[in-house]
Amino acid sequence: MPGPQGPLLVLLALLSCTEPLQPLQANSNEVLKSSEVEPSKAQGPGETVENAVEGLDGPLNTATTGPPPHCPGSLVPLGGAGGCGCPGDLIQQGENCTCPPGFSLQGAMLCQDVDECGAESRHPCGPHANCSNTPGSFQCQCHRGYLRGPGGCEDVDECQLAQVTGLQACGGGAQCQNSPGSFSCSCPPGFVLALDGKTCVDVDECSFEEQCRRELGNMCVNTPGSYICQCQPGFRAERPACVDVDECVDTPGVCAGQGVCENTLGSYRCVCQPGYRGNGTHCEDENECASGRHGCDANARCGNIIGSYFCQCYQGFAGDGHACFDVNECVSVNGTCDQICTNTEGSYLCSCLPGYQLHVDMRGCVDVDECKLQNGGCSHSCSNTAGGHECGCPEPLLLDTDNRTCVNVSSCTLRNGGCAHSCTDLSEGPLCSCRPGWTLGTDHRSCLDVDECADFTNGGCEQLCLNQPGGFNCSCRDGYEPRTDDLTKCQPVCSPPCQNSGVCTAPNSCECPAGYPGPGCSAMCAPPCAHGGSCMRWNTCLCPPGWTGLGCHTAVCELPCANGGRCTAPDLCQCPSDYSGPQCLIPTCTPPCLNGGRCVDVNKCTCTGGWHGARCQIEPVLCLTGCKNGGVCVGHNRCHCASGFTGNLCETAVTAPCVPPCQHGATCSPFNKCSCPEGTTGLRCERLTCPIVTTVVSTTRAVRRGVQESYVDRCGPLGVQLCTKYRINQARIYLQAYRVGYKIQCPGR
């Protein structure tokens, strides 16, 4: 196209005098928002932008004196020779006027800055950064403990950083543990964290531990992170405690004879086996049958054997000797029968003895009077008896062998000659005599008892003489009993029996050896032996396991009670209100620690998960997974959501259908906005911009300054790459620009 070349040379000269492009200064820890203007469609290679210089060969002065030009789209005529353009703060985009990126249109031509950090925004900096609004853009400043990375503000691992740099995050043997935005120090067992929270100090276990049994003379020596026990005789050291030596196991024959070894704390003792009595060193058999300390039934015989005894039921009783019961085939009380009860399967029968007949009630028995029937068969007199009858004869007749007929006496052959005891045949007839202790009666047949107790010898009895038919028995007054070696003699009876070699000298009066002043020469203890203890000689109690002390009133706890606890029963500690547990070693926090906190000392809680306060009751402002969709963390995994979102982490959008609907697979977001997929843009994602846009601008003529814009390409080799391109202002005065390429979509990895 022909035209003068002079004006072009003038423009090039002016271009050389223009101010060079000044790059925007940005903080190293901020990312500027992209403010580029997307082209309405991709331009092919070799094409030029539609606002390229037209008619470079035409005259430079295009002003006319005619009417204003007709402007396309929303462009308006400019005064003078300016042609069509945009008024005020608006910029030209194609044939339309719009506000620069980061501004919104207010009224007809006023552009107002958009506060990207405001409450209605989605907090583009993320949950771990502070957002600061700037004209047309914003800045992000990471929180303490975070640095900017590919995914925004990322946690700094102070523990790993300390290893790399040689610095110490935790000192004094403490172990470093990283946490979101910070770190913490912990100590190995045997150490606690110092007040600075970073170093460890040794715990003096000897100030509270009880395994060394220091109350028994053992010693506790503190060591770094632990302790050792120095044990007294009777104990041996087994880390980390002093353990009692079982002398009964180590020295089986320590107790001789019948003694049995019982281990005690730090020592031992010898006791007699069951069935023996003594002091453990000397034991002798105990006659349980004589002492009454047996379990035989009242209807059983007790037999003593060495070291024990046995029980045997009397005849007519059955059982094991400890429990004997009467053998009776009929039901109780003779089956209600008067005389004879015969057991049958499932029932019983009543019958009567001879001389009786069964009553009509089938239970009672009625005597039969045989004398009413033919005089009972007697030749002379008949006498009815219970269950029978007797025939009698007048003297000197005797009852014949048939027990009915009366005949004369001629010899001792018939009924012993009528003699009560002995009969001797003489020529003149039978002669009667009596056994010793009897004398012949005046009828010369009967025998009368002789009272041996009536003379001055008292029958030879020491105390009481009891006459009996044909003899006598010696008896004793109350409090005495016959001697076993001489039944005519009496010996005093002591109840309880005299024990421990005591001698019964009078009824219930024992002459006791020294050390046994109690009833029956038993040992007497004051106070009495409690909890099943046995009183031994010299006011000493033999206490059962778990008890000791005077009268067995002191409980023994194998594991001593700590922190002021009191042993109230065997192995049972009564703890003060500040401690609990079997040994009162567990501190108590009142009220208790909350939210997973652990009570480590009296009313002192160690909190976890960021909770703090005296009882871990103060909620931390900590959201482990981070709030989504611009939510702000306000508590423990609790987020304050931006408008249009809900849920603990603001993960759920409160959406309504977008009008008009979103295109190209875009999703409808709150506030009637479309979330466009990569490669699309526009209010409804109606324009395609992928995969590559290339802009080529040739030599232009202009005096205005170019605008440098920046955006983040997260597909770069370092994860974040800051690229630069130049945008040309849209007035019809141009300057030289450069080819700029940028990617909208990331390549597949």
Side-chain angles (χ1 to χ4, degrees), residues 199-246:
T199 58
C200 294
V201 294
D202 176 56
V203 175
D204 187 1
E205 294 85 354
C206 294
S207 63
F208 60 86
E209 77 82 32
E210 296 296 337
Q211 297 191 68
C212 290
R213 308 302 298 268
R214 287 176 290 176
E215 74 280 2
L216 300 176
N218 303 320
M219 293 182 60
C220 175
V221 179
N222 186 54
T223 61
S226 185
Y227 66 96
I228 59 175
C229 297
Q230 294 180 353
C231 304
Q232 294 291 326
F235 295 84
R236 63 170 173 262
E238 287 185 7
R239 184 177 181 89
C242 287
V243 180
D244 173 56
V245 175
D246 192 345

Side-chain angles (χ1 to χ4, degrees), residues 5 70 158 178 188 225 254 345 363 526 597 719:
Q5 301 297 325
H70 175 73
E158 293 86 355
N178 187 56
V254 66
E345 186 175 359
R363 294 182 179 179

Side-chain angles (χ1 to χ4, degrees), residues 420-442:
H421 288 172
S422 300
C423 180
T424 304
D425 281 330
L426 298 176
S427 58
E428 61 270 17
L431 177 65
C432 295
S433 61
C434 296
R435 293 190 295 271
W438 301 83
T439 184
L440 194 63
T442 56

